[in-house]
Amino acid sequence: QGAGRAILAHIVGVARSRAYERLSLETGVIEAFWPAQRLYESFGFVRCGPFSDYAEDPFSVFMTLHL
């Protein structure tokens, strides 16, 4: 009941308070992950390419938020 939104808001707030430049995440592509993708988008996350040690993967969606 809003726990995910509260946790994500806290994470973003802490990242901003620490002057991080961006947050990036990886999630799944199947329908079960669509609500999570919409939540991330509501915070301003946009799709991006793989980051760090990740590689392109047809089962993954990569997203980033520039702070």
Side-chain angles (χ1 to χ4, degrees), residues 31-66:
E31 188 175 350
F33 291 98
W34 295 355
Q37 292 174 21
R38 286 192 300 273
L39 173 65
Y40 303 139
E41 289 169 348
S42 76
F43 274 79
F45 282 84
V46 295
R47 290 181 182 226
C48 65
F51 50 86
S52 187
D53 295 332
Y54 285 100
E56 283 291 337
D57 179 347
F59 301 105
S60 294
V61 172
F62 301 96
M63 302 180 84
T64 194
L65 173 65
H66 292 276

